[in-house]
Amino acid sequence: MTPLTTVNLLRALFVVFASFVGAAVGPDLFRSQWRGAGAGMICGLVVVLADRLLKGVTLRTFSSATFGLLMGLFFSWLLLSSDILRHASEDVQWIVGLVVYCTFGYLGMMLAIRSGRDEFSLIIPYVRFRQSAAQDLPLIVDSNILIDGRLERLRKTGFVGSGLIVPRFVLEELQLLADSGDSLRRERGRRALNLLEEMREHDPSCVSVHESTHDPGTKVDARLVQLAQLLGARLLTNDSNLCKIARLQNIVALNLNELSEALRPQLASGDELELALVKEGKEPHQAVGYLPDGTMVVVNHARARLGETATVHISSVVHTTAGRLFFGELKKL
């Protein structure tokens, strides 16, 4: 059973429970068991509707709003305790008191929700909340990073310090790819789904699916940014444009391609390295080897050493549209 089905089942059970409670008290309150059941059902539906409207509200937001409401009510009590309305009639005092409590309560909640945790130390001296490190934030992944295939190897290294969140709309996007009539797109979608399945088999807690209710007409990139803002999470992708958009909105965005580029060996002309010669080059005398990141190294006059590991002296570096290409010579003994 999917989490969404479970949630809907619990909602239905709650409405049925509210109907039974209404039927039980109906004869006393409404002089009719059926009227009581109807009133209970309406109350249950109202609660379910409020639950759906509050779906984007996190426990942190709720606790902040509660604290702000208490502060607003406290200041309202201080204001009304000054007897500023002592000459007014009881009806006026009641109406003004209601307006003051509602106004200060609302302002207190809004200010608390918009405030950061460190700002509470200004109100409560000597009490500070622990600052969450960036690596402790949830990590949302998009379809590109799942299709890429390097995510599982990255997670095993320990550099991904938190569980991964896969939005429901990303899974739907991958399912569309896996069912595509185009063989290339179908293979990409199936590879991503297989990767998620393998990760869940090795560690069921490493991947969680977030049930998102964003507007289906919104583009996937915009939904990812909205979800990251809602959850206070980081975004893991290899889409440079998505990273730029997220960072402009103060979201921590991690680009796997940027990480790969930063970890490339910093070879230069004159360097030496041990290289496995695995294939023939374009020219009859050339052999080709690859660095750990996949960068090609063409070694001149090395055809005879094909299949061996040789010491190579880097002679030149060529920058192409596909990346860097190294040329080398066998080290003379």
Side-chain angles (χ1 to χ4, degrees):
M1 185 179 294
T2 64
L4 182 58
T5 305
T6 303
V7 170
N8 289 332
L9 177 61
L10 290 175
R11 288 169 176 166
L13 291 175
F14 177 78
V15 173
V16 172
F17 172 75
S19 300
F20 275 108
V21 172
V25 300
D28 295 330
L29 296 179
F30 304 100
R31 297 184 179 181
S32 170
Q33 192 175 30
W34 292 107
R35 289 179 184 176
M41 180 181 294
I42 292 174
C43 291
L45 292 174
V46 169
V47 173
V48 170
L49 177 61
D51 164 54
R52 289 189 59 82
L53 293 176
L54 294 173
K55 188 172 183 179
V57 178
T58 63
L59 184 60
R60 179 185 300 177
T61 303
F62 178 77
S63 59
S64 299
T66 303
F67 178 80
L69 176 63
L70 293 176
M71 293 298 297
L73 296 179
F74 175 71
F75 283 112
S76 301
W77 176 78
L78 287 179
L79 178 61
L80 296 176
S81 296
S82 62
D83 288 337
I84 192 173
L85 300 174
R86 59 182 178 274
H87 299 300
S89 64
E90 291 185 0
D91 291 340
V92 172
Q93 290 183 22
W94 184 85
I95 294 174
V96 172
L98 179 63
V99 171
V100 170
Y101 275 113
C102 291
T103 301
F104 277 87
Y106 171 78
L107 292 177
M109 286 193 299
M110 292 299 103
L111 289 174
I113 291 173
R114 289 196 294 261
S115 300
R117 289 177 296 173
D118 288 341
E119 296 176 6
F120 282 100
S121 61
L122 299 175
I123 303 173
I124 311 175
Y126 309 112
V127 175
R128 297 189 64 84
F129 296 90
R130 183 179 67 87
Q131 182 69 28
S132 294
Q135 60 268 22
D136 294 333
L137 299 176
L139 196 60
I140 299 175
V141 296
D142 69 345
S143 57
N144 290 325
I145 203 69
L146 294 171
I147 293 171
D148 182 279
R150 294 176 289 175
L151 180 59
E152 174 63 2
R153 295 199 302 269
L154 177 64
R155 193 187 67 84
K156 288 180 178 178
T157 63
F159 284 100
V160 179
S162 59
L164 304 177
I165 298 176
V166 183
R168 173 64 62 181
F169 56 83
V170 169
L171 286 180
E172 293 172 355
E173 184 182 10
L174 293 177
Q175 184 178 3
L176 288 176
L177 284 176
D179 296 336
S180 174
D182 184 277
S183 59
L184 180 60
R185 290 167 59 86
R186 184 168 61 249
E187 178 61 28
R188 295 172 66 193
R190 290 179 179 177
R191 181 174 62 184
L193 292 175
N194 290 336
L195 172 64
L196 282 175
E197 186 177 6
E198 292 174 4
M199 292 172 64
R200 288 293 294 270
E201 287 179 355
H202 287 91
D203 185 2
S205 64
C206 73
V207 178
S208 60
V209 178
H210 185 275
E211 301 292 341
S212 176
T213 57
H214 292 282
D215 182 8
T218 307
K219 292 183 178 179
V220 172
D221 286 1
R223 291 197 208 179
L224 288 167
V225 171
Q226 292 173 5
L227 184 60
Q229 289 177 326
L230 176 65
L231 300 179
R234 298 173 295 166
L235 189 60
L236 178 61
T237 180
N238 56 11
D239 187 336
S240 58
N241 291 327
L242 176 58
C243 275
K244 292 176 183 177
I245 294 173
R247 288 166 182 168
L248 286 173
Q249 301 184 55
N250 297 322
I251 296 171
V252 179
L254 308 179
N255 190 332
L256 190 55
N257 288 338
E258 292 178 358
L259 176 62
S260 177
E261 183 66 28
L263 295 178
R264 284 189 180 221
Q266 298 299 314
L267 290 177
S269 298
D271 290 346
E272 292 183 358
L273 73 156
E274 296 292 322
L275 185 70
L277 305 175
V278 296
K279 59 182 289 188
E280 300 176 351
K282 275 188 177 182
E283 301 298 330
H285 60 86
Q286 291 178 338
V288 174
Y290 294 92
L291 298 177
D293 66 342
T295 303
M296 181 184 292
V297 180
V298 179
V299 185
N300 296 317
H301 309 291
R303 180 68 63 87
R305 302 287 300 275
L306 197 62
E308 301 178 11
T309 299
T311 303
V312 177
H313 178 85
I314 301 298
S315 58
S316 62
V317 183
V318 177
H319 293 274
T320 67
T321 55
R324 296 178 300 172
L325 177 63
F326 294 94
F327 287 89
E329 305 285 344
L330 290 175
K331 182 180 179 180
K332 297 180 180 179
L333 300 177

